[in-house]
Amino acid sequence: MTTIAEPTDRVARRRGPAAAVQQSATVAWRQLVQIKHSPETLVEVGIQPVIFVFLFAFVLAGQMAGSRHAYLQFVVPGLIVQSTVLVTARTAIGMNTDVTKGLFDRFRSLPISRTAPLIGRIFADYVMLVWSVVLLLAFGMLLSFRIETSWGQLIPMFLLLLVFSFALSWASVLAGLLAKDPENVQALAFGIMLPLTFISDAFVQVETMPGWLQAIVKLNPVSMLADSIRGLLVGGPVGEPVTKTLIASAVLFVVFAPLALRAYHRER
């Protein structure tokens, strides 16, 4: 009796929500420690937003707003949103790489939660997201961007970014599982993410667009998130855009999480 009950107890301890969170954190840590073997990953994730801030500040600012400071106050929140979207695209590429290289087959042989590899990948990309946004804010401030509300607003800003990123990551997970190889998923992810970012008010005022396009832009979740970040950092409406962002995040999660999990279990 003892020899049968003991392994059953061990299996029980490896399941359940608490065990799933712990196993997801372990998978995320495994992803992160690989950075010490390829530190260029931090440079790759961090240099992109810095380049965008530089280009928008010195190439487009005069045409778009007349001064570097005025345009940075508008565009830095938009660039933060763009970084969030692009980091979730990395989730799709990393997911597909793990599947095609057989890493998920190794996870299947372990007595861990089925969703731990998925959640762990998303958690690891959270760290990349925070890293890219911190660099973007620091470089933006170096070029005259200023937080006009209070530094305390950074906390709800990061929480909102993580909520939106978590919801959008399920669309990336689905793309990563459906694509045949990393090259295809990269084309698919960026083919969707870039239009999603540019057909929004992340970089330009929505009033400058044709009327038919304004309706699309206002329904774009990226616009809702950009308006929320602007309200939190440089002032303006906060309650309505944040509420819309949370609703959009819930819709993204409800639509894409079941599809991604179905594709994942079918892949198994």
Side-chain angles (χ1 to χ4, degrees), residues 29-264:
W29 178 248
R30 178 196 170 278
Q31 299 285 346
L32 293 174
V33 295
Q34 294 179 10
I35 293 176
K36 67 180 181 181
H37 301 297
S38 55
E40 64 273 11
T41 302
L42 287 177
V43 177
E44 176 190 344
V45 174
I47 197 68
Q48 183 171 281
V50 169
I51 290 175
F52 273 113
V53 173
F54 182 87
L55 291 175
F56 278 83
F58 290 101
V59 178
L60 298 177
Q63 176 67 31
M64 302 299 289
S67 74
R68 184 193 310 164
H69 172 73
Y71 191 51
L72 284 179
Q73 293 302 101
F74 178 83
V75 81
V76 165
L79 290 172
I80 290 173
V81 176
Q82 185 195 43
S83 291
T84 304
V85 173
L86 293 181
V87 167
T88 59
R90 285 178 50 84
T91 303
I93 298 170
M95 185 66 61
N96 186 271
T97 302
D98 290 345
V99 171
T100 55
K101 287 189 175 181
L103 179 62
F104 273 29
D105 290 333
R106 294 172 59 189
F107 283 136
R108 290 170 194 169
S109 65
L110 301 176
I112 63 175
S113 166
R114 293 181 177 183
T115 56
L118 301 180
I119 303 297
R121 162 63 65 178
I122 295 173
F123 281 0
D125 285 335
Y126 270 7
V127 177
M128 295 293 103
L129 170 61
V130 173
W131 165 252
S132 68
V133 171
V134 168
L135 278 184
L136 193 156
L137 278 173
F139 193 67
M141 289 179 179
L142 189 65
L143 298 181
S144 80
F145 172 75
R146 294 293 179 267
I147 296 175
E148 296 180 358
T149 52
S150 74
W151 285 87
Q153 296 288 39
L154 288 175
I155 296 175
M157 183 201 77
F158 274 110
L159 291 176
L160 191 62
L161 290 178
L162 295 181
V163 169
F164 184 83
S165 173
F166 182 78
L168 189 60
S169 291
W170 289 102
S172 296
V173 168
L174 179 62
L177 291 171
L178 294 180
K180 293 181 179 178
D181 52 54
E183 288 74 19
N184 283 339
V185 73
Q186 185 171 5
L188 177 63
F190 285 97
I192 296 174
M193 298 301 181
L194 287 180
L196 189 66
T197 303
F198 279 92
I199 304 177
S200 72
D201 64 356
F203 307 130
V204 297
Q205 299 279 0
V206 66
E207 292 78 11
T208 63
M209 303 177 187
W212 62 269
L213 187 58
Q214 290 185 23
I216 297 174
V217 169
K218 290 177 182 177
L219 290 174
N220 187 343
V222 170
S223 298
M224 300 172 190
L225 183 59
D227 292 340
S228 301
I229 303 304
R230 286 194 186 98
L232 289 169
L233 297 187
V234 299
V238 174
E240 181 179 350
V242 168
T243 301
K244 288 182 177 178
T245 302
L246 293 176
I247 293 173
S249 299
V251 171
L252 287 171
F253 178 79
V254 168
V255 171
F256 288 106
L259 293 175
L261 289 173
R262 183 179 178 182
Y264 175 64

